Amino acid sequence: MNTLAERIDRVRSKIAAAAARGRGQAVQLLAVTKTVPPEVIAQAMSCGLTLFGENRAQEALPKIKRFPQAEWHFIGQLQTNKVKNVVGRFALIHSLDRWKLATALQARAEITGQPVRVLVQVNVGREPQKGGVLPEDVPAFLREVAQLSHLRVEGLMAIPPAVSDPEDSRPYFRALYELFRSIDMPGVKMKTLSMGMSADYEVAVEEGANLVRVGSLLFGERS
Ligand SMILES: *Cc1c(COP(=O)(O)O)cnc(C)c1O
């Protein structure tokens, strides 16, 4: 079993190689720390990781308190009644997927006075059980969200359908990149394309991801 430092190095060099094969873009590594204890997060930080992702506010808040110097991203499905636990605590929310959530975030941000940075989650595989805006609805959705004074849209996020061969995810990543590139509207920045996880981050980077969300490959399988 190799060390955390070795696993981080390995993922970093694979990302660099994939970007070189792809579009030569700079890629951020978001370490997904759900179920990962604080001691291990401390180790990851000493290896130079600074970006961390969590999908449940309740689990994340004590970690954020303990490591306020890190940058924390919210990557899970967000219920509107949990919005107050997320706004002001996470630097970026990857999972804006419906209008009701947009207005809840806006209402909370008006109270705190701080704008909320978000990515719009796209249901690229058109899976009924998954959150996300359908690809063809993304431009109209963005136009609406751009009207909300306290929301800052900075890009797109997606979790494509589970496949056994990462190559099968390539068309989804490619479609997402094309959508990402096609959007040009006032009040919306297309800066971050969050796609790719442990099983498929290399393919995602080859297709243009500039942020990958990697958990189990760094920290081991979650039980
Ligand atoms: C858990 C999770 C990840 C990381 O998954 P791994 O397969 O462990 O790398 C990435 N994105 C989201 C939204 C997650 O919930």
Side-chain angles (χ1 to χ4, degrees):
M1 190 66 182
N2 42 19
T3 65
L4 177 61
E6 285 164 349
R7 292 193 299 268
I8 293 171
D9 268 0
R10 196 175 149 77
V11 169
R12 281 206 172 120
S13 48
K14 289 195 173 224
I15 288 172
R21 289 192 300 274
R23 304 175 180 279
Q25 75 276 30
V27 180
Q28 292 190 292
L29 171 59
L30 181 79
V32 177
T33 49
K34 58 193 183 204
T35 78
V36 175
E39 311 80 74
V40 179
I41 298 174
Q43 250 185 299
M45 289 182 73
S46 67
C47 296
L49 290 184
T50 56
L51 267 186
F52 297 98
E54 288 275 342
N55 66 346
R56 291 176 53 236
Q58 208 182 342
E59 182 186 342
L61 294 184
K63 297 177 182 176
I64 298 175
K65 277 216 176 78
R66 180 141 168 202
F67 304 108
Q69 68 277 44
E71 181 174 323
W72 292 89
H73 291 191
F74 189 84
I75 60 175
Q77 270 229 328
L78 184 50
Q79 303 320 127
T80 49
N81 63 349
K82 298 282 166 61
V83 153
K84 63 180 179 309
N85 298 326
V86 168
V87 170
R89 299 202 162 106
F90 291 86
L92 184 66
I93 297 168
H94 288 225
S95 46
L96 174 59
D97 61 354
R98 59 201 191 281
W99 179 246
K100 191 167 168 236
L101 178 57
T103 56
L105 289 168
Q106 163 74 13
R108 184 65 194 171
E110 281 175 10
I111 293 170
T112 66
Q114 291 288 317
V116 181
R117 298 166 52 211
V118 297
L119 306 180
V120 168
Q121 184 172 346
V122 183
N123 189 348
V124 69
R126 323 182 71 83
E127 296 168 281
Q129 78 281 14
K130 256 187 205 166
V133 179
L134 290 175
E136 65 273 23
D137 297 336
V138 166
F141 183 69
L142 288 174
R143 256 188 292 279
E144 299 280 298
V145 173
Q147 306 300 314
L148 298 173
S149 58
H150 285 60
L151 288 203
R152 302 277 180 274
V153 179
E154 298 192 356
L156 304 178
M157 178 273 227
I159 310 169
V163 293
S164 51
D165 179 354
E167 274 304 321
D168 295 340
S169 299
R170 191 180 293 280
Y172 295 112
F173 292 139
R174 186 165 293 175
L176 223 47
Y177 179 79
E178 272 158 22
L179 179 62
F180 177 75
R181 289 303 305 261
S182 73
I183 288 158
D184 179 14
M185 67 179 76
V188 169
K189 265 195 270 182
M190 283 289 120
K191 190 170 96 180
T192 301
L193 181 56
S194 165
M195 59 183 193
M197 323 202 317
S198 290
D200 55 16
Y201 70 101
E202 290 171 272
V203 176
V205 170
E206 284 171 2
E207 294 300 330
N210 60 14
L211 185 153
V212 292
R213 309 177 307 268
V214 180
S216 49
L217 203 55
L218 297 173
F219 301 114
E221 291 299 326
R222 293 175 292 273
S223 46

mmCIF file of all heavy atoms in Angstrom, residues 9-28 166-167 170 173-174 177 195-212 214:
data_model
loop_
_atom_site.group_PDB
_atom_site.id
_atom_site.type_symbol
_atom_site.label_atom_id
_atom_site.label_comp_id
_atom_site.label_asym_id
_atom_site.label_seq_id
_atom_site.Cartn_x
_atom_site.Cartn_y
_atom_site.Cartn_z
ATOM 1 N N ASP A 9 0.629 12.476 -5.550
ATOM 2 C CA ASP A 9 1.597 12.729 -6.634
ATOM 3 C C ASP A 9 1.194 12.051 -7.926
ATOM 4 O O ASP A 9 1.302 12.621 -9.016
ATOM 5 C CB ASP A 9 2.974 12.160 -6.246
ATOM 6 C CG ASP A 9 3.808 13.211 -5.551
ATOM 7 O OD1 ASP A 9 3.305 14.339 -5.392
ATOM 8 O OD2 ASP A 9 4.954 12.886 -5.179
ATOM 9 N N ARG A 10 0.769 10.804 -7.775
ATOM 10 C CA ARG A 10 0.392 10.009 -8.933
ATOM 11 C C ARG A 10 -0.812 10.621 -9.653
ATOM 12 O O ARG A 10 -0.813 10.766 -10.873
ATOM 13 C CB ARG A 10 0.066 8.596 -8.435
ATOM 14 C CG ARG A 10 0.024 7.555 -9.495
ATOM 15 C CD ARG A 10 -0.180 6.182 -8.811
ATOM 16 N NE ARG A 10 -0.936 5.299 -9.697
ATOM 17 C CZ ARG A 10 -0.401 4.690 -10.735
ATOM 18 N NH1 ARG A 10 0.875 4.832 -11.013
ATOM 19 N NH2 ARG A 10 -1.152 3.929 -11.502
ATOM 20 N N VAL A 11 -1.811 10.999 -8.879
ATOM 21 C CA VAL A 11 -3.007 11.612 -9.482
ATOM 22 C C VAL A 11 -2.617 12.932 -10.156
ATOM 23 O O VAL A 11 -3.041 13.219 -11.279
ATOM 24 C CB VAL A 11 -4.124 11.819 -8.428
ATOM 25 C CG1 VAL A 11 -5.244 12.698 -8.972
ATOM 26 C CG2 VAL A 11 -4.683 10.465 -7.984
ATOM 27 N N ARG A 12 -1.773 13.695 -9.482
ATOM 28 C CA ARG A 12 -1.349 14.977 -10.068
ATOM 29 C C ARG A 12 -0.625 14.769 -11.395
ATOM 30 O O ARG A 12 -0.855 15.499 -12.354
ATOM 31 C CB ARG A 12 -0.422 15.712 -9.106
ATOM 32 C CG ARG A 12 -1.157 16.413 -7.995
ATOM 33 C CD ARG A 12 -0.302 17.575 -7.518
ATOM 34 N NE ARG A 12 -1.011 18.414 -6.572
ATOM 35 C CZ ARG A 12 -0.588 18.617 -5.323
ATOM 36 N NH1 ARG A 12 0.513 18.027 -4.889
ATOM 37 N NH2 ARG A 12 -1.267 19.419 -4.535
ATOM 38 N N SER A 13 0.275 13.769 -11.445
ATOM 39 C CA SER A 13 1.004 13.621 -12.706
ATOM 40 C C SER A 13 0.101 13.064 -13.798
ATOM 41 O O SER A 13 0.257 13.409 -14.970
ATOM 42 C CB SER A 13 2.313 12.836 -12.546
ATOM 43 O OG SER A 13 2.095 11.677 -11.835
ATOM 44 N N LYS A 14 -0.866 12.212 -13.415
ATOM 45 C CA LYS A 14 -1.815 11.733 -14.436
ATOM 46 C C LYS A 14 -2.691 12.863 -14.962
ATOM 47 O O LYS A 14 -3.033 12.899 -16.146
ATOM 48 C CB LYS A 14 -2.681 10.615 -13.865
ATOM 49 C CG LYS A 14 -1.881 9.343 -13.676
ATOM 50 C CD LYS A 14 -2.755 8.140 -13.456
ATOM 51 C CE LYS A 14 -1.875 6.911 -13.451
ATOM 52 N NZ LYS A 14 -2.417 5.799 -14.212
ATOM 53 N N ILE A 15 -3.051 13.779 -14.085
ATOM 54 C CA ILE A 15 -3.832 14.944 -14.524
ATOM 55 C C ILE A 15 -3.009 15.774 -15.517
ATOM 56 O O ILE A 15 -3.510 16.176 -16.575
ATOM 57 C CB ILE A 15 -4.253 15.816 -13.311
ATOM 58 C CG1 ILE A 15 -5.345 15.114 -12.505
ATOM 59 C CG2 ILE A 15 -4.729 17.196 -13.774
ATOM 60 C CD1 ILE A 15 -5.692 15.811 -11.186
ATOM 61 N N ALA A 16 -1.745 16.001 -15.163
ATOM 62 C CA ALA A 16 -0.891 16.815 -16.045
ATOM 63 C C ALA A 16 -0.734 16.151 -17.411
ATOM 64 O O ALA A 16 -0.817 16.818 -18.459
ATOM 65 C CB ALA A 16 0.459 17.043 -15.390
ATOM 66 N N ALA A 17 -0.538 14.829 -17.407
ATOM 67 C CA ALA A 17 -0.382 14.112 -18.679
ATOM 68 C C ALA A 17 -1.676 14.175 -19.491
ATOM 69 O O ALA A 17 -1.647 14.365 -20.713
ATOM 70 C CB ALA A 17 0.029 12.663 -18.409
ATOM 71 N N ALA A 18 -2.816 14.012 -18.816
ATOM 72 C CA ALA A 18 -4.102 14.048 -19.530
ATOM 73 C C ALA A 18 -4.366 15.432 -20.107
ATOM 74 O O ALA A 18 -4.861 15.563 -21.238
ATOM 75 C CB ALA A 18 -5.236 13.629 -18.592
ATOM 76 N N ALA A 19 -3.998 16.472 -19.363
ATOM 77 C CA ALA A 19 -4.203 17.833 -19.873
ATOM 78 C C ALA A 19 -3.310 18.081 -21.088
ATOM 79 O O ALA A 19 -3.719 18.731 -22.052
ATOM 80 C CB ALA A 19 -3.920 18.861 -18.777
ATOM 81 N N ALA A 20 -2.089 17.522 -21.052
ATOM 82 C CA ALA A 20 -1.170 17.681 -22.183
ATOM 83 C C ALA A 20 -1.717 16.967 -23.420
ATOM 84 O O ALA A 20 -1.606 17.465 -24.536
ATOM 85 C CB ALA A 20 0.212 17.150 -21.815
ATOM 86 N N ARG A 21 -2.344 15.806 -23.219
ATOM 87 C CA ARG A 21 -2.989 15.107 -24.347
ATOM 88 C C ARG A 21 -4.241 15.843 -24.797
ATOM 89 O O ARG A 21 -4.673 15.718 -25.939
ATOM 90 C CB ARG A 21 -3.406 13.683 -23.924
ATOM 91 C CG ARG A 21 -2.282 12.697 -23.724
ATOM 92 C CD ARG A 21 -2.822 11.271 -23.610
ATOM 93 N NE ARG A 21 -3.745 11.063 -22.504
ATOM 94 C CZ ARG A 21 -3.377 10.756 -21.258
ATOM 95 N NH1 ARG A 21 -2.095 10.639 -20.954
ATOM 96 N NH2 ARG A 21 -4.284 10.589 -20.324
ATOM 97 N N GLY A 22 -4.845 16.558 -23.860
ATOM 98 C CA GLY A 22 -6.125 17.228 -24.140
ATOM 99 C C GLY A 22 -5.913 18.644 -24.631
ATOM 100 O O GLY A 22 -5.382 18.855 -25.715
ATOM 101 N N ARG A 23 -6.294 19.626 -23.811
ATOM 102 C CA ARG A 23 -6.285 21.011 -24.274
ATOM 103 C C ARG A 23 -5.231 21.862 -23.600
ATOM 104 O O ARG A 23 -5.276 23.087 -23.682
ATOM 105 C CB ARG A 23 -7.679 21.612 -24.047
ATOM 106 C CG ARG A 23 -8.727 20.772 -24.723
ATOM 107 C CD ARG A 23 -10.142 21.233 -24.444
ATOM 108 N NE ARG A 23 -11.083 20.368 -25.126
ATOM 109 C CZ ARG A 23 -11.390 20.493 -26.406
ATOM 110 N NH1 ARG A 23 -10.859 21.440 -27.134
ATOM 111 N NH2 ARG A 23 -12.239 19.641 -26.952
ATOM 112 N N GLY A 24 -4.327 21.196 -22.871
ATOM 113 C CA GLY A 24 -3.252 21.938 -22.213
ATOM 114 C C GLY A 24 -3.728 22.868 -21.110
ATOM 115 O O GLY A 24 -3.015 23.793 -20.732
ATOM 116 N N GLN A 25 -4.929 22.617 -20.618
ATOM 117 C CA GLN A 25 -5.500 23.525 -19.617
ATOM 118 C C GLN A 25 -4.910 23.280 -18.233
ATOM 119 O O GLN A 25 -4.422 22.198 -17.938
ATOM 120 C CB GLN A 25 -7.035 23.339 -19.572
ATOM 121 C CG GLN A 25 -7.552 22.066 -18.883
ATOM 122 C CD GLN A 25 -7.585 20.820 -19.772
ATOM 123 O OE1 GLN A 25 -6.792 20.654 -20.680
ATOM 124 N NE2 GLN A 25 -8.508 19.912 -19.471
ATOM 125 N N ALA A 26 -4.967 24.298 -17.372
ATOM 126 C CA ALA A 26 -4.639 24.114 -15.955
ATOM 127 C C ALA A 26 -5.833 23.423 -15.297
ATOM 128 O O ALA A 26 -6.983 23.740 -15.601
ATOM 129 C CB ALA A 26 -4.388 25.460 -15.299
ATOM 130 N N VAL A 27 -5.555 22.458 -14.430
ATOM 131 C CA VAL A 27 -6.628 21.665 -13.811
ATOM 132 C C VAL A 27 -6.497 21.715 -12.294
ATOM 133 O O VAL A 27 -5.418 21.491 -11.750
ATOM 134 C CB VAL A 27 -6.561 20.193 -14.279
ATOM 135 C CG1 VAL A 27 -7.674 19.365 -13.623
ATOM 136 C CG2 VAL A 27 -6.656 20.093 -15.802
ATOM 137 N N GLN A 28 -7.603 22.013 -11.638
ATOM 138 C CA GLN A 28 -7.620 21.990 -10.172
ATOM 139 C C GLN A 28 -8.030 20.612 -9.674
ATOM 140 O O GLN A 28 -8.963 20.006 -10.219
ATOM 141 C CB GLN A 28 -8.620 23.015 -9.651
ATOM 142 C CG GLN A 28 -8.207 24.454 -9.905
ATOM 143 C CD GLN A 28 -9.131 25.391 -9.148
ATOM 144 O OE1 GLN A 28 -10.312 25.501 -9.460
ATOM 145 N NE2 GLN A 28 -8.593 26.059 -8.146
ATOM 146 N N PRO A 166 -14.276 3.688 -18.493
ATOM 147 C CA PRO A 166 -14.285 5.163 -18.514
ATOM 148 C C PRO A 166 -14.385 5.746 -19.925
ATOM 149 O O PRO A 166 -14.880 6.862 -20.106
ATOM 150 C CB PRO A 166 -12.963 5.551 -17.841
ATOM 151 C CG PRO A 166 -12.186 4.298 -17.638
ATOM 152 C CD PRO A 166 -13.127 3.140 -17.756
ATOM 153 N N GLU A 167 -13.936 4.994 -20.922
ATOM 154 C CA GLU A 167 -14.071 5.463 -22.305
ATOM 155 C C GLU A 167 -15.535 5.731 -22.660
ATOM 156 O O GLU A 167 -15.833 6.596 -23.494
ATOM 157 C CB GLU A 167 -13.498 4.435 -23.286
ATOM 158 C CG GLU A 167 -12.007 4.571 -23.507
ATOM 159 C CD GLU A 167 -11.572 5.949 -23.990
ATOM 160 O OE1 GLU A 167 -12.270 6.559 -24.822
ATOM 161 O OE2 GLU A 167 -10.544 6.439 -23.503
ATOM 162 N N ARG A 170 -16.668 9.269 -22.267
ATOM 163 C CA ARG A 170 -16.070 10.323 -23.093
ATOM 164 C C ARG A 170 -17.108 11.169 -23.840
ATOM 165 O O ARG A 170 -17.011 12.407 -23.842
ATOM 166 C CB ARG A 170 -15.045 9.719 -24.067
ATOM 167 C CG ARG A 170 -14.196 10.767 -24.776
ATOM 168 C CD ARG A 170 -13.174 10.142 -25.732
ATOM 169 N NE ARG A 170 -12.132 9.390 -25.081
ATOM 170 C CZ ARG A 170 -11.043 9.909 -24.503
ATOM 171 N NH1 ARG A 170 -10.859 11.210 -24.506
ATOM 172 N NH2 ARG A 170 -10.140 9.130 -23.935
ATOM 173 N N PHE A 173 -18.565 13.750 -21.502
ATOM 174 C CA PHE A 173 -17.619 14.820 -21.171
ATOM 175 C C PHE A 173 -17.458 15.771 -22.354
ATOM 176 O O PHE A 173 -17.377 16.988 -22.191
ATOM 177 C CB PHE A 173 -16.258 14.236 -20.773
ATOM 178 C CG PHE A 173 -16.269 13.488 -19.465
ATOM 179 C CD1 PHE A 173 -15.564 12.294 -19.325
ATOM 180 C CD2 PHE A 173 -16.974 13.966 -18.376
ATOM 181 C CE1 PHE A 173 -15.558 11.599 -18.118
ATOM 182 C CE2 PHE A 173 -16.971 13.280 -17.163
ATOM 183 C CZ PHE A 173 -16.258 12.097 -17.039
ATOM 184 N N ARG A 174 -17.419 15.186 -23.535
ATOM 185 C CA ARG A 174 -17.253 16.023 -24.732
ATOM 186 C C ARG A 174 -18.459 16.937 -24.915
ATOM 187 O O ARG A 174 -18.323 18.135 -25.182
ATOM 188 C CB ARG A 174 -17.070 15.124 -25.952
ATOM 189 C CG ARG A 174 -16.756 15.898 -27.210
ATOM 190 C CD ARG A 174 -16.234 14.985 -28.290
ATOM 191 N NE ARG A 174 -14.932 14.432 -27.930
ATOM 192 C CZ ARG A 174 -14.275 13.515 -28.648
ATOM 193 N NH1 ARG A 174 -14.827 13.036 -29.770
ATOM 194 N NH2 ARG A 174 -13.100 13.075 -28.266
ATOM 195 N N TYR A 177 -18.313 19.758 -22.429
ATOM 196 C CA TYR A 177 -17.322 20.765 -22.780
ATOM 197 C C TYR A 177 -17.875 21.673 -23.882
ATOM 198 O O TYR A 177 -17.707 22.899 -23.843
ATOM 199 C CB TYR A 177 -16.015 20.104 -23.238
ATOM 200 C CG TYR A 177 -14.968 21.105 -23.647
ATOM 201 C CD1 TYR A 177 -14.225 21.778 -22.687
ATOM 202 C CD2 TYR A 177 -14.739 21.392 -24.987
ATOM 203 C CE1 TYR A 177 -13.271 22.723 -23.052
ATOM 204 C CE2 TYR A 177 -13.789 22.336 -25.357
ATOM 205 C CZ TYR A 177 -13.058 22.993 -24.393
ATOM 206 O OH TYR A 177 -12.125 23.923 -24.760
ATOM 207 N N MET A 195 -15.818 18.179 -13.844
ATOM 208 C CA MET A 195 -16.237 16.834 -14.264
ATOM 209 C C MET A 195 -15.068 15.866 -14.146
ATOM 210 O O MET A 195 -13.917 16.232 -14.340
ATOM 211 C CB MET A 195 -16.839 16.851 -15.678
ATOM 212 C CG MET A 195 -15.940 17.362 -16.779
ATOM 213 S SD MET A 195 -16.798 17.427 -18.385
ATOM 214 C CE MET A 195 -15.377 17.656 -19.478
ATOM 215 N N GLY A 196 -15.387 14.612 -13.813
ATOM 216 C CA GLY A 196 -14.386 13.578 -13.632
ATOM 217 C C GLY A 196 -14.194 13.243 -12.162
ATOM 218 O O GLY A 196 -14.070 14.150 -11.330
ATOM 219 N N MET A 197 -14.233 11.936 -11.854
ATOM 220 C CA MET A 197 -14.033 11.438 -10.500
ATOM 221 C C MET A 197 -12.956 10.344 -10.576
ATOM 222 O O MET A 197 -12.292 10.193 -11.599
ATOM 223 C CB MET A 197 -15.349 10.900 -9.925
ATOM 224 C CG MET A 197 -16.547 11.724 -10.367
ATOM 225 S SD MET A 197 -18.050 11.666 -9.372
ATOM 226 C CE MET A 197 -18.264 9.975 -8.968
ATOM 227 N N SER A 198 -12.790 9.572 -9.478
ATOM 228 C CA SER A 198 -11.687 8.594 -9.443
ATOM 229 C C SER A 198 -11.631 7.706 -10.683
ATOM 230 O O SER A 198 -10.559 7.431 -11.212
ATOM 231 C CB SER A 198 -11.800 7.716 -8.198
ATOM 232 O OG SER A 198 -11.503 8.476 -7.053
ATOM 233 N N ALA A 199 -12.802 7.228 -11.131
ATOM 234 C CA ALA A 199 -12.810 6.228 -12.199
ATOM 235 C C ALA A 199 -12.531 6.819 -13.584
ATOM 236 O O ALA A 199 -12.123 6.090 -14.491
ATOM 237 C CB ALA A 199 -14.165 5.517 -12.206
ATOM 238 N N ASP A 200 -12.766 8.125 -13.749
ATOM 239 C CA ASP A 200 -12.774 8.648 -15.118
ATOM 240 C C ASP A 200 -12.146 10.034 -15.257
ATOM 241 O O ASP A 200 -12.324 10.700 -16.272
ATOM 242 C CB ASP A 200 -14.223 8.671 -15.646
ATOM 243 C CG ASP A 200 -15.160 9.435 -14.737
ATOM 244 O OD1 ASP A 200 -14.673 10.191 -13.869
ATOM 245 O OD2 ASP A 200 -16.391 9.286 -14.885
ATOM 246 N N TYR A 201 -11.370 10.474 -14.254
ATOM 247 C CA TYR A 201 -10.874 11.854 -14.293
ATOM 248 C C TYR A 201 -9.903 12.088 -15.449
ATOM 249 O O TYR A 201 -9.840 13.193 -15.995
ATOM 250 C CB TYR A 201 -10.238 12.260 -12.953
ATOM 251 C CG TYR A 201 -8.923 11.582 -12.653
ATOM 252 C CD1 TYR A 201 -7.710 12.237 -12.843
ATOM 253 C CD2 TYR A 201 -8.894 10.278 -12.194
ATOM 254 C CE1 TYR A 201 -6.506 11.606 -12.589
ATOM 255 C CE2 TYR A 201 -7.688 9.636 -11.937
ATOM 256 C CZ TYR A 201 -6.499 10.302 -12.144
ATOM 257 O OH TYR A 201 -5.309 9.672 -11.915
ATOM 258 N N GLU A 202 -9.173 11.034 -15.861
ATOM 259 C CA GLU A 202 -8.225 11.264 -16.957
ATOM 260 C C GLU A 202 -8.965 11.554 -18.265
ATOM 261 O O GLU A 202 -8.588 12.471 -19.010
ATOM 262 C CB GLU A 202 -7.294 10.064 -17.120
ATOM 263 C CG GLU A 202 -6.311 9.934 -15.963
ATOM 264 C CD GLU A 202 -5.537 8.630 -16.015
ATOM 265 O OE1 GLU A 202 -6.037 7.633 -15.463
ATOM 266 O OE2 GLU A 202 -4.452 8.619 -16.616
ATOM 267 N N VAL A 203 -10.016 10.778 -18.519
ATOM 268 C CA VAL A 203 -10.821 11.019 -19.725
ATOM 269 C C VAL A 203 -11.464 12.407 -19.648
ATOM 270 O O VAL A 203 -11.479 13.163 -20.630
ATOM 271 C CB VAL A 203 -11.899 9.919 -19.896
ATOM 272 C CG1 VAL A 203 -12.788 10.218 -21.096
ATOM 273 C CG2 VAL A 203 -11.246 8.553 -20.045
ATOM 274 N N ALA A 204 -11.956 12.762 -18.454
ATOM 275 C CA ALA A 204 -12.605 14.072 -18.288
ATOM 276 C C ALA A 204 -11.618 15.198 -18.601
ATOM 277 O O ALA A 204 -11.960 16.163 -19.296
ATOM 278 C CB ALA A 204 -13.155 14.211 -16.869
ATOM 279 N N VAL A 205 -10.388 15.066 -18.102
ATOM 280 C CA VAL A 205 -9.387 16.116 -18.351
ATOM 281 C C VAL A 205 -9.026 16.163 -19.830
ATOM 282 O O VAL A 205 -8.906 17.242 -20.421
ATOM 283 C CB VAL A 205 -8.142 15.907 -17.461
ATOM 284 C CG1 VAL A 205 -7.008 16.829 -17.881
ATOM 285 C CG2 VAL A 205 -8.501 16.133 -15.988
ATOM 286 N N GLU A 206 -8.887 14.999 -20.451
ATOM 287 C CA GLU A 206 -8.607 14.984 -21.898
ATOM 288 C C GLU A 206 -9.683 15.736 -22.671
ATOM 289 O O GLU A 206 -9.407 16.364 -23.693
ATOM 290 C CB GLU A 206 -8.545 13.544 -22.419
ATOM 291 C CG GLU A 206 -7.266 12.825 -22.067
ATOM 292 C CD GLU A 206 -7.323 11.330 -22.409
ATOM 293 O OE1 GLU A 206 -8.336 10.861 -22.961
ATOM 294 O OE2 GLU A 206 -6.345 10.639 -22.099
ATOM 295 N N GLU A 207 -10.928 15.678 -22.152
ATOM 296 C CA GLU A 207 -12.047 16.320 -22.855
ATOM 297 C C GLU A 207 -12.302 17.747 -22.393
ATOM 298 O O GLU A 207 -13.290 18.350 -22.791
ATOM 299 C CB GLU A 207 -13.312 15.466 -22.718
ATOM 300 C CG GLU A 207 -13.212 14.117 -23.423
ATOM 301 C CD GLU A 207 -12.971 14.247 -24.936
ATOM 302 O OE1 GLU A 207 -13.416 15.252 -25.533
ATOM 303 O OE2 GLU A 207 -12.331 13.337 -25.514
ATOM 304 N N GLY A 208 -11.453 18.266 -21.507
ATOM 305 C CA GLY A 208 -11.565 19.695 -21.194
ATOM 306 C C GLY A 208 -11.929 20.063 -19.763
ATOM 307 O O GLY A 208 -12.082 21.257 -19.464
ATOM 308 N N ALA A 209 -12.074 19.099 -18.874
ATOM 309 C CA ALA A 209 -12.341 19.444 -17.465
ATOM 310 C C ALA A 209 -11.210 20.320 -16.943
ATOM 311 O O ALA A 209 -10.045 20.074 -17.243
ATOM 312 C CB ALA A 209 -12.438 18.177 -16.616
ATOM 313 N N ASN A 210 -11.552 21.336 -16.134
ATOM 314 C CA ASN A 210 -10.478 22.073 -15.448
ATOM 315 C C ASN A 210 -10.612 22.002 -13.934
ATOM 316 O O ASN A 210 -9.881 22.673 -13.212
ATOM 317 C CB ASN A 210 -10.333 23.503 -15.961
ATOM 318 C CG ASN A 210 -11.590 24.314 -15.764
ATOM 319 O OD1 ASN A 210 -12.489 23.917 -15.016
ATOM 320 N ND2 ASN A 210 -11.659 25.459 -16.409
ATOM 321 N N LEU A 211 -11.533 21.152 -13.476
ATOM 322 C CA LEU A 211 -11.591 20.796 -12.061
ATOM 323 C C LEU A 211 -12.078 19.352 -12.000
ATOM 324 O O LEU A 211 -13.092 19.014 -12.619
ATOM 325 C CB LEU A 211 -12.537 21.730 -11.303
ATOM 326 C CG LEU A 211 -12.594 21.534 -9.776
ATOM 327 C CD1 LEU A 211 -12.976 22.827 -9.062
ATOM 328 C CD2 LEU A 211 -13.529 20.411 -9.348
ATOM 329 N N VAL A 212 -11.329 18.491 -11.296
ATOM 330 C CA VAL A 212 -11.765 17.105 -11.113
ATOM 331 C C VAL A 212 -12.007 16.862 -9.630
ATOM 332 O O VAL A 212 -11.346 17.456 -8.773
ATOM 333 C CB VAL A 212 -10.740 16.080 -11.667
ATOM 334 C CG1 VAL A 212 -10.671 16.159 -13.185
ATOM 335 C CG2 VAL A 212 -9.353 16.271 -11.062
ATOM 336 N N VAL A 214 -11.889 14.122 -6.894
ATOM 337 C CA VAL A 214 -11.347 12.780 -6.681
ATOM 338 C C VAL A 214 -11.364 12.436 -5.192
ATOM 339 O O VAL A 214 -10.822 13.177 -4.370
ATOM 340 C CB VAL A 214 -9.918 12.674 -7.244
ATOM 341 C CG1 VAL A 214 -9.357 11.274 -7.019
ATOM 342 C CG2 VAL A 214 -9.902 13.015 -8.741
#
